[in-house]
Amino acid sequence: MMNAKCTSERATKWMHWIARVLGTLASVFWVTALTLSAIFEKGPITLEGVMLAGLVATNAVGVFIAWRRENIGGMVTVIGAVALCVFAFVTAGHNKGFAMLVSGGLFLIPGILFLASWRRTRK
């Protein structure tokens, strides 16, 4: 019985750390991409760009919160990821599925893992 509990706790810790690493990598990727785009692109600031920056910031903050509070951060990340998927679907010209996967999907997976890890630690 003790071995099964130890294995379950180990799996929960792995789930927790995988969510942290994936969420942090996605946040760093998107924040870096948007920052470089803002610095080097010439042209006016568009509403689409501002909305994208806001959604990415929401997801990055959700991941940051989830480092301490998995339930709250996971919920913020999942809701932000779904909103980012919808935004990508509406604004993408071609390959809407790929756009949704690259934008919101990168945050949706860690968000779900944060919530699953939190759920398993409660039991």
Side-chain angles (χ1 to χ4, degrees), residues 1 7 15 17 30 32 37 39 42-43 47 51-52 57 62 67 79 81 83 85 90 92 99 103 108-109 116:
M1 185 67 173
T7 303
M15 191 183 311
W17 278 102
W30 272 104
T32 302
S37 175
I39 291 171
K42 294 178 176 41
L47 178 62
M51 289 176 64
L52 179 62
W67 273 77
I79 292 168
C85 282
V90 170
S103 56
L108 186 61
I109 294 168

Side-chain angles (χ1 to χ4, degrees), residues 4-52:
K5 183 178 179 182
C6 182
T7 303
S8 176
E9 288 176 3
R10 189 176 309 142
T12 303
K13 285 183 181 182
W14 270 99
M15 191 183 311
H16 176 77
W17 278 102
I18 289 170
R20 282 181 170 185
V21 169
L22 290 178
T24 302
L25 286 175
S27 297
V28 167
F29 168 75
W30 272 104
V31 169
T32 302
L34 290 177
T35 302
L36 291 175
S37 175
I39 291 171
F40 292 113
E41 281 190 17
K42 294 178 176 41
I45 297 174
T46 62
L47 178 62
E48 183 178 323
V50 172
M51 289 176 64
L52 179 62

Side-chain angles (χ1 to χ4, degrees), residues 65-66 68-76 114-115 118 122:
I65 292 170
R68 292 282 179 208
R69 304 279 310 260
E70 288 180 324
N71 57 343
I72 297 170
M75 286 299 295
V76 169
F114 277 127
L115 291 175
W118 168 73
R122 282 187 40 217

